[in-house]
Amino acid sequence: MKKWIAGLIILMLAVPAMAQFAGLPIAGGAAASDAGQIGVSAGGVFGDDFKLYGIRGSYAVIQGLDVFLGLGAIDPDEGADTGITGQLGAEFTLPTDLPVDLAVRGTIARASFDLDVGGDVTALTLNGGMLVSKTIEQLTPYGFVGFNYTDTEVKVDGFGSVSDDETDFAIAIGLEFAVSDQVSLYAEIENVDDTFFALGGRWQF
């Protein structure tokens, strides 16, 4: 019994770090999209405890307001099977006269995966903050500052469940390179309780 209790405690400490993917990657700057514009991005987020691969679609409802939906796979390094993730969010570019673009961004996401010992882990995350960027010809450096809330539940077959929640600062800096008017590549460093790296591409139609 003590072994299982210790195992649950270890999982409760590790899983919040693994689940801090909500809202990540930012994958681009804060410039306003034209109404009706569609975007698709794909890539990966890489951390010490897991890897996350996914695809995200976005749609500009009106100029400056994008809603997006992401689906992907979460691949824990040890002790668990590959699971699934989903993400829903919105980004609104503020109408300012500043020399940089500013946007408010928020997401809600869920991840789940099975444990090798029997049982499963589910995590719900809420992420919100401010995105700032500056486009200089083909390059767009950007940064994000906000907060991330995670609610995690761990179930082990025959030993019940344990839940925990945590709130952390969410910070990201990245660089987007426009290959053409429609295609761009991005690289990003993120920190939400742990440090992550992200690489991917984005297509706009």
Side-chain angles (χ1 to χ4, degrees):
M1 176 66 73
K2 290 183 178 179
K3 179 179 178 181
W4 286 102
I5 293 175
L8 284 172
I9 293 173
I10 291 171
L11 283 169
M12 289 307 303
L13 292 174
V15 168
M18 294 165 58
Q20 307 289 6
F21 60 87
L24 302 177
I26 303 300
S33 300
D34 294 331
Q37 189 171 59
I38 297 173
V40 178
S41 61
V45 176
F46 309 96
D48 292 336
D49 299 312
F50 77 94
K51 300 177 183 64
L52 175 71
Y53 308 97
I55 185 169
R56 179 191 297 162
S58 65
Y59 177 73
V61 181
I62 59 175
Q63 184 174 5
L65 177 60
D66 287 79
V67 295
F68 53 88
L69 173 68
L71 297 172
I74 184 170
D75 182 17
D77 289 342
E78 296 181 359
D81 298 329
T82 299
I84 57 174
T85 69
Q87 181 185 108
L88 178 66
E91 181 177 307
F92 176 67
T93 301
L94 301 177
T96 69
D97 294 325
L98 297 174
V100 296
D101 295 310
L102 291 174
V104 178
R105 192 175 190 275
T107 63
I108 180 172
R110 187 179 186 276
S112 63
F113 51 86
D114 294 330
L115 299 173
D116 291 345
V117 297
D120 60 78
V121 176
T122 59
L124 175 71
T125 61
L126 303 174
N127 181 288
M130 184 70 69
L131 176 63
V132 58
S133 68
K134 174 71 173 179
T135 299
I136 307 170
E137 297 183 354
Q138 290 178 274
L139 296 177
T140 302
Y142 59 89
F144 174 85
V145 178
F147 292 93
N148 195 82
Y149 169 79
T150 305
D151 184 12
T152 307
E153 183 177 21
V154 180
K155 296 180 181 178
V156 176
D157 292 347
F159 294 91
S161 64
V162 180
S163 61
D164 191 23
D165 59 83
E166 180 177 335
T167 301
D168 299 282
F169 282 109
I171 301 172
I173 57 173
L175 183 66
E176 183 180 17
F177 174 72
V179 179
S180 67
D181 291 339
Q182 292 182 310
V183 179
S184 62
L185 304 174
Y186 67 85
E188 192 172 305
I189 300 174
E190 308 136 356
N191 188 282
V192 187
D193 191 51
D194 200 356
T195 300
F196 308 102
F197 302 91
L199 295 170
R202 188 164 68 155
W203 297 262
Q204 293 182 321
F205 308 94

